[in-house]
Amino acid sequence: MRVLVSGGAGYIGSHTVIQLIAAGHDVIVVDSFANAKPSVVGRLEALTGMPLDVRSFDLTDHDKTEHLFADEQIDAVIHFAGFKAVGESVEKPLEYYENNLVSTFSLVRAMRRHDVRKLVFSSSATVYGDNAQVPMQEDAPTSATNPYGWTKVMIEQVLRDVAEADPSWRIALLRYFNPVGAHPSGTIGEDPSDIPNNLMPFIAQVAVGRREKLSIYGGDYPTPDGTGVRDYIHVEDLAAGHVAALHRLGQTDTSVNTWNLGTGHGTSVLEMLHAFERAVGHELAHEVVDRRPGDIAESYADPTKAQAELGWRATRTVDDMCVDTWRWQSANPDGYP
Ligand code: WQD
């Protein structure tokens, strides 16, 4: 199929582009490069051995979006593009609602006009809110505790209603747990633009000497070692889940399908830190500090629906996640040029 990948130069998007091409699909990447470096494109072309069709514009520009669908034969869309920093969304709610919602409206309107009805949407376990029961199941109620999370809850609802009005749509809502890791080549990976909010890139930057030490947010949670527990999933497993969901949309007669993409296993902050120390071969400076406001103690997926319906499961271990992250970070201490 010819697949439009919005945000295809981003962390999860770039890894998914590699697997889409390996699966024999043609890819068009649309990226505004608001949150990605142009040098990613050269890395992707080196990995695939072929030129990558990249269109550099913002999906909120409906004219450009519409023209792309008018000019190109597109069979399906994977929609990654969007702002995704929880803390930033609290500071800039209007920008988050406008960017994430308007870009999706623009994209879906162009798809509808040009009869492109297969859509894989990048959602998040954040839609389970902060009172969910673990393991999280797809039929749990959704809510959010920050504007970023609300954009995901709202976009899921918009897409459910669009499909309700026109059941010819085939939509996959993919709820990622905690994406980490990097392509085994070490040439593409996660490259936060500022001080990393997320655990794994922060640990990696401590290991490479860019940060002094890891602050562990809270050691008094009701968890085995007192630190927060999350369902970390290797970005390569996540990318494979997108390819599986895309293929499933060609077979299912269900217009909206929600799938958790997680391992089903919880890993604590201390366990992840120790796994990373094994990858680098020495201890990493850290200290336990106060809890981060808004954090929950435990989050991990019930992955059985995706396993049953997509024939997909995460296979990479926490050690794989750390070894692959370290290979990327040590080869690219300052991220992409
Ligand atoms: C993981 C654990 C922290 C940093 C977030 C978003 C979510 C999704 C994934 C987009 C927690 C602890 C972290 C640090 C720490 N993003 N931690 N020191 O909060 O589970 O989820 O990223 O969809 O929307 O909320 O991920 O990596 O920030 O935190 O101790 O410097 O690591 O307390 O227990 P989180 P995280």
Side-chain angles (χ1 to χ4, degrees):
M1 284 188 277
R2 193 133 189 259
V3 185
L4 172 64
V5 181
S6 80
Y11 172 43
I12 302 167
S14 56
H15 287 80
T16 304
V17 163
I18 297 294
Q19 294 205 20
L20 284 168
I21 290 170
H25 296 294
D26 293 323
V27 167
I28 300 178
V29 167
V30 169
D31 207 303
S32 67
F33 292 95
N35 258 347
K37 302 259 180 69
S39 52
V40 176
V41 177
R43 301 286 177 93
L44 292 175
E45 292 179 332
L47 282 172
T48 60
M50 60 178 76
L52 187 63
D53 183 348
V54 179
R55 314 295 171 94
S56 178
F57 67 87
D58 192 318
L59 285 174
T60 56
D61 182 332
H62 185 61
D63 282 349
K64 287 185 176 168
T65 305
E66 165 58 30
H67 279 111
L68 177 61
F69 279 84
D71 295 348
E72 304 292 349
Q73 170 58 41
I74 292 165
D75 302 311
V77 174
I78 302 183
H79 181 34
F80 291 105
F83 295 162
K84 55 149 260 178
V86 169
E88 187 182 54
S89 79
V90 175
E91 295 161 21
K92 302 176 179 175
L94 183 59
E95 288 76 9
Y96 265 69
Y97 285 116
E98 182 167 12
N99 180 70
N100 291 4
L101 294 170
V102 173
S103 59
T104 304
F105 298 158
S106 167
L107 177 66
V108 172
R109 280 169 55 212
M111 291 178 72
R112 184 178 62 182
R113 178 160 181 197
H114 295 278
D115 202 22
V116 181
R117 289 290 197 283
K118 286 194 186 77
L119 173 61
V120 176
F121 174 61
S122 166
S123 190
S124 167
T126 205
V127 304
Y128 290 115
D130 60 357
N131 55 11
Q133 302 298 315
V134 285
M136 278 99 165
Q137 298 186 326
E138 288 86 350
D139 60 359
T142 58
S143 69
T145 56
N146 57 75
Y148 160 75
W150 279 118
T151 68
K152 294 299 186 184
V153 171
M154 292 173 180
I155 292 168
E156 283 198 0
Q157 190 57 51
V158 166
L159 296 177
R160 276 191 286 269
D161 290 341
V162 164
E164 183 72 25
D166 173 357
S168 71
W169 281 87
R170 291 291 178 272
I171 296 173
L173 306 176
L174 300 185
R175 292 175 177 171
Y176 313 157
F177 279 73
N178 289 62
V180 294
H183 188 271
S185 67
T187 60
I188 58 173
E190 188 172 10
D191 183 19
S193 49
D194 205 335
I195 300 173
N197 299 306
N198 294 138
L199 178 68
M200 185 67 106
F202 201 102
I203 293 177
Q205 290 190 12
V206 170
V208 83
R210 279 177 68 182
R211 306 282 166 206
E212 185 207 342
K213 66 181 162 191
L214 171 71
S215 297
I216 297 178
Y217 298 144
D220 59 350
Y221 283 104
T223 60
D225 64 19
T227 63
V229 169
R230 295 293 184 274
D231 184 334
Y232 297 96
I233 177 169
H234 197 296
V235 66
E236 290 287 276
D237 283 327
L238 201 56
H242 285 74
V243 177
L246 192 63
H247 292 167
R248 176 73 182 158
L249 290 184
Q251 300 157 349
T252 182
D253 53 12
T254 309
S255 55
V256 181
N257 308 264
T258 305
W259 289 298
N260 285 336
L261 294 188
T263 67
H265 302 295
T267 300
S268 77
V269 176
L270 275 174
E271 285 169 333
M272 186 60 84
L273 177 66
H274 295 329
F276 212 96
E277 290 174 336
R278 287 195 294 275
V280 302
H282 60 75
E283 290 188 356
L284 297 173
H286 62 279
E287 67 168 332
V288 179
V289 299
D290 292 339
R291 295 183 180 189
R292 180 172 63 178
D295 273 358
I296 56 177
E298 274 193 301
S299 163
Y300 54 89
D302 175 345
T304 51
K305 187 167 184 278
Q307 288 167 9
E309 297 176 5
L310 298 181
W312 167 91
R313 69 170 53 225
T315 61
R316 291 158 180 91
T317 66
V318 167
D319 284 312
D320 295 333
M321 297 170 200
C322 293
V323 166
D324 292 340
T325 299
W326 180 232
R327 189 181 301 111
W328 149 256
Q329 189 73 82
S330 54
N332 303 273
D334 297 317
Y336 291 108

